[in-house]
Amino acid sequence: LDVPAVAAKLEELHQHTQLPVGVGFGIRDGASAAQVAKIADAVVVGSVLVSRVAEFADQPAAIPAQVAGIISELRAAMDAAG
């Protein structure tokens, strides 16, 4: 994740809109979510959740706990980022 490049693009976008701008590329763990949370209005998570579901496709009963675990990790990291 190239945080300076993302920050520069967000700055450019904010020159054209006052709407909140979310970032959803490159969010794969708590660390990347925290980095984006510091510079974006929103953090969009998708692929990491789909990947986690795919990992446990043969264990459907485990999927809710696995998804909750990654969401908890992301939320804790974003909250800690301030």
Side-chain angles (χ1 to χ4, degrees):
L1 182 64
D2 185 349
V3 175
V6 173
K9 184 54 74 175
L10 287 170
E11 189 174 316
E12 181 181 334
L13 289 169
H14 279 124
Q15 292 175 10
H16 300 283
T17 184
Q18 293 191 9
L19 294 171
V21 179
V23 174
F25 293 99
I27 313 302
R28 47 190 157 274
D29 54 23
S32 56
Q35 288 178 313
V36 170
K38 290 179 184 178
I39 59 172
D41 299 309
V43 178
V44 181
V45 180
S47 297
V48 71
L49 298 177
V50 172
S51 296
R52 188 60 56 100
V53 169
E55 280 180 57
F56 289 87
D58 61 341
Q59 303 170 51
I63 292 172
Q66 291 296 320
V67 169
I70 191 68
I71 291 172
S72 293
E73 174 193 338
L74 296 168
R75 178 79 262 168
M78 289 184 289
D79 288 346

